[in-house]
Amino acid sequence: MPRGPAAPSGPRYGAPEPPVMPRSSWLRPGDKGHAREAGQDRRGGPSKQPPPKYDDKVVAVFVHHTDSPNGYDCADAPAIIRRITADQTAGRHWDDIGYNFLVDRCGTIYEGRAGGSDRPVTGAHTQGFNHRTMGVAAIGTFTQGAEVPEAMTEAIARLAAWKLGLSDVDPRGDVRLVSSNDKSRFDKGEAAVLPAIAGHDDGYRTDCPGAALKAHLPLIRERAAQLQGRSA
């Protein structure tokens, strides 16, 4: 008896993985973050840092800005990321940088939180909504009137198209997420329907990602859908 067509082996609407600079491109040997990758502390013993945590998949992307100066040379982006990491680890006592990815004004994408850029790493970027989501931070401050570089929005769209495509999520659609604590805009356990590509302020009471960058999210959603091969 003839067999029917084979079931598709991957998502129907996918997008290629964009170039991503690994953590080693911005971490220096001896930096705290290297202990997590090596599983050792600086003295060669077992690391006291908890291992990365993972979700089953990524169904939404939260867009942030780093609230740092805009007029930087892109060659300085690794140093900027190190400073952000130091603030979040030493200053706030987090175990690692919270963002899964960061994007500079030239459109270069950097891996942020450890665990593997191709895996659904649980971040620490949006109170209440870190599970099954990805956090990407635009390096700079994008409040009302700020210029948002096209290279930056294109990189965010490519990153979102790839990550959401792995779960067959339409970047233009909405997703259902459940708040994990009462510090978000929603009570713990409350279901929220949010854009698949959302601003930080959609899930948390904040001005992030800035009014200028927030205004670009509809275009980022459309571009990500186009990159996935979706029709209008």
Side-chain angles (χ1 to χ4, degrees):
M1 182 175 179
R3 296 180 180 179
S9 59
R12 181 180 178 188
Y13 292 104
E17 178 181 358
V20 176
M21 299 297 290
R23 283 168 61 91
S24 59
S25 68
W26 57 267
L27 276 171
R28 289 174 172 167
D31 282 353
K32 181 180 179 182
H34 274 295
R36 168 169 279 183
E37 279 88 350
Q40 296 181 338
D41 64 19
R42 294 183 184 181
R43 293 171 294 179
S47 173
K48 295 181 180 179
Q49 290 180 288
K53 296 179 181 179
Y54 299 94
D55 290 296
D56 59 331
K57 57 184 176 180
V58 170
V59 300
V61 173
F62 280 100
V63 179
H64 305 254
H65 69 172
T66 58
D67 199 20
S68 53
N70 290 353
Y72 56 88
D73 189 309
C74 290
D76 294 330
I80 295 171
I81 297 172
R82 284 195 297 272
R83 288 196 293 271
I84 294 168
T85 303
D87 174 69
Q88 295 185 352
T89 56
R92 304 184 191 181
H93 306 291
W94 295 0
D95 62 338
D96 194 2
I97 188 170
Y99 310 120
N100 298 104
F101 299 91
L102 300 96
V103 177
D104 71 16
R105 61 198 299 268
C106 295
T108 303
I109 302 171
Y110 291 87
E111 178 186 10
R113 196 168 183 84
S117 61
D118 60 339
R119 301 185 66 184
V121 178
T122 306
H125 50 83
T126 305
Q127 283 277 15
F129 297 106
N130 289 313
H131 291 286
R132 305 186 95 193
T133 69
M134 177 193 85
V136 53
I139 300 176
T141 300
F142 299 100
T143 49
Q144 188 69 45
E147 178 185 356
V148 182
E150 183 178 350
M152 176 177 276
T153 58
E154 174 69 10
I156 293 171
R158 290 185 177 277
L159 184 61
W162 167 52
K163 277 292 188 176
L164 295 178
L166 295 174
S167 303
D168 248 342
V169 173
D170 188 335
R172 303 164 299 185
D174 294 329
V175 297
R176 181 181 179 275
L177 300 171
V178 177
S179 177
S180 64
N181 62 52
D182 294 326
K183 296 180 181 179
S184 74
R185 287 188 179 274
F186 302 85
D187 294 335
K188 181 178 180 179
E190 183 180 354
V193 177
L194 299 172
I197 298 180
H200 185 189
D201 59 344
D202 287 312
Y204 184 69
R205 292 177 178 83
T206 176
D207 293 331
C208 177
L213 182 53
K214 185 70 180 282
H216 280 73
L217 292 189
L219 294 176
I220 290 173
R221 294 179 188 117
E222 289 295 332
R223 176 59 176 150
Q226 181 186 45
L227 290 165
Q228 286 185 352
R230 296 180 187 270
S231 58

